[in-house]
Amino acid sequence: MTATVAAPERRRVYRLIPAEHGHRLTRQEDAVPRPAGREVLVRIRAASLNYRDLMVRRGQLGEVRDGLIPLSDGAGEVVAVGSEVTQWRAGDRVAPLFYPLWTAGKYREAYGPSALGGGNSDGVLADVIAVPEASLVRVPDTLDFAEAATLPCAALTAWQALVVRGGVAAGDTVLVQGTGGVALFGLQIATALGARVIVLSSSDDKRERASRLGAFATVNYRTTPDWDIEVRKLTDGLGVSHLLELGGPGTFDRSLRAIRAGGHIAQIGVFTGFGPQSNLMRLQLINASIDGINVGSGEQFAAMNSFIAGRGLKPVIDRSFAFDEAEAAYAHLASGQHFGKVVIRF
């Protein structure tokens, strides 16, 4: 028998419907799901968008099920629990995992299809969703729901890249590309650990804002196209210890030239597309390394949340939209004008 508390009967939900080019976003209403034995019903209070969400909608990441609920990142409160749930109770503030099956340990390819908001796995752009008990983490008490909704993908990706895989430490130098969610979380996390961060941006206004967040230096990659040379100058000719590679094929060659001997590149983004791959011989010549970064586990998420709360870090939200303005939120993210995260408040 399912144990429930005050849960609504109907919910607002957005779904992706096939269109001529990609998918259109359609708002609907339907019945609220009821939690099975080990499921938890979560009322989503806010969601945030990632570049991946644009790619899913455009059909760039493979097939998308007709009627898929999009978006992977959200936060809210427990409103009902299944009869076998022991970990959560009504009122708990939680966020679903990007990969519901990746609760701990190393990543496995089998986790991939479970990623929320893509392929065949419904996401969080709905008032209420049902989530497996083990696929939730408690969000920091220091953050409101909108701030907590930015954490599941962007923040955890930066944490995985710099802390789990990179081992960033005081005195290291870090280069981040752009001023989107992953980049700014990387800036905040690395700075909190005592590293010096260099930020690339084509906007002088965004560079100034990055400096106020603690960037050691910034470089305008549009007016300084040879930014790898400038980065080496800023690091006494050595190059950076860590690099969050967010651009993809269009930036990777310069990233290889900007990394120092023994340095670490975290391969994360594909903003410049899926073009030809670079010659990786330089990695061997300078004993550097590259890690493919794909979000993180629930265990890592919990550790990051403790760090965020302990250090008093606040996610950077560029703009918030109402639930009825979801289409405008997508458009704002696609414009590339944002500094930090784009959020939908329910």
Side-chain angles (χ1 to χ4, degrees):
M1 182 176 178
T2 298
T4 62
V5 290
E9 295 295 324
R10 305 285 294 176
R11 67 174 180 175
R12 301 173 300 169
V13 58
Y14 280 99
R15 296 183 183 276
L16 295 180
I17 306 300
E20 184 177 355
H21 301 289
H23 302 79
R24 59 185 172 88
L25 193 65
T26 302
R27 179 181 159 171
Q28 301 175 352
E29 285 195 9
D30 60 22
V32 168
R34 296 303 171 195
R38 292 199 174 275
E39 285 187 326
V40 175
L41 209 62
V42 179
R43 185 193 298 271
I44 299 297
R45 294 297 191 182
S48 73
L49 282 77
N50 298 292
Y51 187 73
R52 167 189 181 257
D53 299 312
L54 296 177
M55 299 176 73
V56 167
R57 188 171 175 184
R58 294 165 179 167
Q60 294 174 308
L61 295 181
E63 289 190 20
V64 174
R65 190 192 76 234
D66 186 2
L68 182 83
I69 301 173
L71 305 193
S72 59
D73 292 16
E77 58 197 351
V78 173
V79 294
V81 298
S83 59
E84 300 175 43
V85 171
T86 59
Q87 187 176 353
W88 306 105
R89 61 183 181 180
D92 285 343
R93 303 171 73 249
V94 296
L97 302 184
F98 181 95
Y99 288 111
L101 300 180
W102 191 11
T103 57
K106 294 184 177 180
Y107 181 79
R108 300 179 181 179
E109 286 190 54
Y111 299 157
S114 73
L116 298 184
N120 199 47
S121 185
D122 282 333
V124 302
L125 197 51
D127 278 335
V128 184
I129 63 173
V131 183
E133 176 184 25
S135 300
L136 293 169
V137 295
R138 196 175 305 275
V139 298
D141 292 336
T142 54
L143 304 183
D144 63 26
F145 284 124
E147 293 167 334
T150 69
L151 302 179
C153 180
L156 190 53
T157 295
W159 178 263
Q160 171 87 216
L162 291 172
V163 178
V164 179
R165 307 281 284 281
V168 68
D172 284 348
T173 50
V174 178
L175 175 67
V176 300
Q177 297 172 341
T179 54
V182 176
L184 292 189
F185 276 119
L187 166 60
Q188 291 177 291
I189 291 169
T191 300
L193 289 169
R196 299 191 306 169
V197 181
I198 302 171
V199 175
L200 298 183
S201 175
S202 62
S203 165
D204 289 337
D205 174 66
K206 291 180 180 180
R207 290 172 56 211
E208 173 60 29
R209 295 169 71 181
S211 295
R212 293 199 297 269
L213 279 176
F216 153 68
T218 65
V219 178
N220 188 320
Y221 64 82
R222 185 158 294 158
T223 59
T224 309
D226 295 331
W227 52 261
D228 52 311
I229 297 175
E230 183 64 21
V231 166
R232 297 192 75 87
K233 288 179 182 177
L234 290 167
T235 54
D236 299 323
L238 298 175
V240 292
S241 315
H242 303 267
L243 193 151
L244 298 190
E245 172 46 66
L246 297 164
T251 57
F252 202 86
D253 284 339
R254 293 196 184 278
S255 293
L256 286 172
R257 295 193 289 269
I259 199 72
R260 71 182 301 166
H264 170 247
I265 296 176
Q267 176 58 46
I268 299 170
V270 289
F271 290 140
T272 61
F274 300 89
Q277 301 303 303
S278 301
N279 185 336
L280 300 182
M281 179 59 70
R282 176 168 164 75
L283 283 177
Q284 176 184 344
L285 295 177
I286 64 171
N287 283 288
S289 62
I290 179 172
D291 281 326
I293 303 298
N294 194 356
V295 197
S297 70
E299 187 177 63
Q300 293 162 359
F301 197 166
M304 178 191 72
N305 285 346
S306 295
F307 178 86
I308 287 173
R311 300 299 180 102
L313 299 186
K314 288 286 189 179
V316 179
I317 295 177
D318 176 82
R319 186 174 170 187
S320 295
F321 293 82
F323 187 84
D324 293 341
E325 299 174 317
E327 189 68 69
Y330 270 89
H332 185 59
L333 181 68
S335 74
Q337 299 302 307
H338 57 289
F339 181 88
K341 296 294 292 182
V342 176
V343 168
I344 297 173
R345 296 178 186 265
F346 289 40

